[in-house]
């Protein structure tokens, strides 16, 4: 959809003249802006299609803070034009560029690999040489793919003083291969969009082939490939360089779930901010790309103003963790001093009953569709639903609490511990937590998959699973239900035909669900 919106822009960029040195802005408060389409030499001489947005009356007499915006996966460089103009109107030089391998940029898709990170530094070099950018006030920001590259670049280039990473990832393996389970719809969407709008590298093609074919012999290669592209791998460098980092994501992000951002945020030592809100991948930021009012982009500009311009706008005095519950109307944020402080209590729900299910059958419990499920929850308060009483117990294990006398404010990461026995060596299960109303209809609160390989059939083993982090208010009179089945369209499952899974609670190691709640 976004590609269709911006689809005419690359033709304009193709006709743009070769880049020349730009003059600097005479004032940072000019209301008009100039836009230039240019080609920038990236790493190894690969050309990067870009545009420079700056105050219209810029000249060489005054240096301005620089913001670099790498594009999202499959989108052209005009993706950020509306936001770039807003930044330029307030005195920034803004350089947005198409990441290598996409649209009119050269090279191959490296999936935030080392060439992409080197490109970011080359773009900064070019901006310092050809625009009035201030070398002491440089920031990077981006959405999705651009967010991931911005975070990685902050670990590689100490000139970057501020980062805004929206709907991105800190742990690529944990995002698309959590619980050793392939996130098939998410990876398929990225693969398809990449093939349609870009030129995948041979390495990326091979990774996808091994990923979708469940080639366990290549699992370690997949993990190593993902770690090289994960900001969490370079945490020490990011902390040492000291950039002020703002992270934003949606609870229902079906491509990059919020858990890795939360974990990464806790380990950052510099100025930091974490915003989590309802929605799916990039849905919270989408209206801002179209130039419409958008609180996420407002906060992003405030963050850049604070740490690139030094403006005392108060964003650094707010609680560093800002959450919006999925059941709240509007943008009412709750502030917390840290991620660990979000829940005030961890309530333990015992799972005493033994449940046995037959694999390879969809019970009717599922987590929706990539991009759509979280969006429906965001805009219509309509998460994936399931009739809990009607779920076939031969295909779904079900545990329920009693009805709660008062509202339960779930905040944080729900954790499942159980004991599994399979009659096969390999298998997959998906755990779902539902808010169940008086009529038995469950609204999905959170979920997560897990996969096991090379287990001894008939031998019990423990499972410790973190479900995707969330904020959700369970109304008084409702109950919670944990459902575990073996099939979900979002994921590749590894259950042999006719397999059975048994979930038990040994006396020596009782099964339980840990619910983070806020009083």
């Amino acid at each position: 959809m976004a590609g269709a919106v911006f689809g005419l822009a690359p033709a304009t960029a193709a006709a743009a003249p070769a880049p020349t040195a730009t003059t600097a802005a005479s004032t940072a408060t000019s209301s008009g802006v100039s836009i230039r389409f240019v080609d920038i030499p990236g790493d190894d001489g690969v050309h990067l299609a870009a545009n420079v947005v700056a105050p219209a009356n810029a000249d060489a007499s005054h240096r301005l803070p620089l913001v670099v915006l790498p594009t999202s996966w499959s989108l052209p460089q005009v993706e950020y034009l509306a936001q770039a103009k807003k930044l330029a109107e307030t005195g920034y030089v803004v350089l947005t560029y198409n990441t290598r391998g996409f649209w009119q940029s050269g090279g191959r898709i490296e999936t935030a690999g080392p060439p992409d990170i080197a490109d970011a530094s080359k773009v900064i070099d070019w901006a310092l040489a050809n625009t009035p950018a201030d070398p002491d006030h440089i920031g990077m920001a981006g959405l999705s793919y651009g967010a991931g590259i911005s975070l990685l670049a902050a670990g590689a280039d100490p000139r970057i003083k501020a980062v805004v990473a929206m709907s991105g990832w800190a742990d690529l393996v944990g995002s698309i291969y959590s619980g050793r389970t392939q996130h098939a719809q998410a990876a398929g969407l990225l693969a398809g969009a990449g093939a349609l709008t870009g030129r995948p590298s041979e390495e990326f093609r091979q990774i996808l082939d091994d990923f979708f074919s469940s080639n366990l012999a290549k699992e370690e290669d997949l993990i190593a490939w993902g770690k090289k592209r994960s900001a969490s791998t370079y945490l020490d460098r990011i902390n040492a360089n000291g950039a002020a980092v703002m992270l934003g994501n949606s609870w229902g992000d079906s491509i990059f779930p919020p858990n890795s951002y939360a974990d990464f945020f806790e380990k950052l030592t510099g100025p930091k901010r974490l915003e989590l809100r309802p929605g799916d991948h990039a849905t919270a930021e989408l209206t801002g790309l179209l130039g419409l009012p958008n609180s996420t982009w407002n906060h992003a500009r405030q963050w850049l103003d604070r740490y690139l311009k030094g403006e005392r706008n108060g964003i650094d005095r707010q609680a560093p963790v800002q959450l919006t519950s999925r059941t709240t109307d509007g943008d009412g944020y709750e502030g917390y001093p840290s991620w660990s402080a979000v829940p005030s209590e961890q309530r333990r729900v015992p799972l005493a009953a033994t449940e046995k299910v037959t694999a390879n059958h969809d019970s009717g419990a599922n987590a929706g569709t990539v991009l759509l499920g979280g969006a429906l929850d965001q805009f219509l308060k309509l998460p994936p639903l399931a009739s809990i009483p009607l779920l076939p117990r031969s295909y779904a294990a079900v545990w329920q609490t009693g009805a709660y006398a008062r509202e339960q404010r779930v905040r944080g990461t729900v954790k499942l511990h159980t004991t599994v026995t399979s009659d096969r060596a390999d298998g997959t299960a998906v755990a779902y937590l539902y808010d169940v109303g008086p009529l038995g209809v469950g609204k999905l609160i959170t979920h997560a998959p897990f996969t096991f390989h090379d287990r001894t059939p008939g031998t019990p083993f423990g499972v410790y699973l973190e479900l995707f982090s969330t904020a959700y208010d369970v109304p008084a009179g409702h109950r919670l239900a944990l459902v575990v089945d073996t099939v979900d369209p979002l994921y590749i499952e590894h259950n042999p035909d006719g397999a059975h899974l048994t979930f038990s609670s040994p006396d020596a190691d009782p099964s339980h669900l840990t619910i983070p709640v806020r009083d």
Side-chain angles (χ1 to χ4, degrees), residues 30 50 67 111 156 181 194 211 298 302 362 382 438 474 483 493 500 503:
S30 174
V67 177
T111 325
T181 309
F211 181 88
N298 289 344
Q302 290 172 17
D362 190 340
L382 190 62
V474 180
V483 177
E493 53 94 4
H500 296 87
F503 303 91

Side-chain angles (χ1 to χ4, degrees), residues 143-233:
L143 179 64
S144 186
Y145 192 44
I149 290 175
S150 295
L151 275 180
L152 288 160
D157 195 327
R159 296 175 296 180
I160 298 169
K161 304 303 181 185
V163 172
V164 178
M166 297 170 282
S167 290
W169 74 92
D171 178 357
L172 189 57
V173 178
S175 294
I176 63 171
Y177 192 57
S178 67
R180 297 185 75 184
T181 309
Q182 296 102 317
H183 294 214
Q185 284 191 16
L189 178 66
L190 296 175
L196 181 65
T197 61
R199 299 165 300 282
S201 67
E202 289 305 314
E203 180 186 31
F204 183 44
R205 290 182 187 275
Q206 187 61 55
I207 286 290
L208 288 174
D209 287 345
D210 294 336
F211 181 88
F212 287 114
S213 65
S214 303
N215 187 350
L216 288 177
K218 296 292 187 178
E219 184 179 37
E220 290 304 317
D221 292 343
L222 169 67
I223 292 172
W225 177 86
K227 284 185 175 179
K228 187 183 292 186
R229 291 158 171 80
S230 298
S232 57
T233 302

Side-chain angles (χ1 to χ4, degrees), residues 113-136:
D116 290 300
I117 309 314
D119 284 346
S121 291
K122 291 289 187 180
V123 167
I124 292 173
D125 293 342
W126 187 93
L128 294 177
N130 294 280
T131 77
D134 186 338
D136 296 322

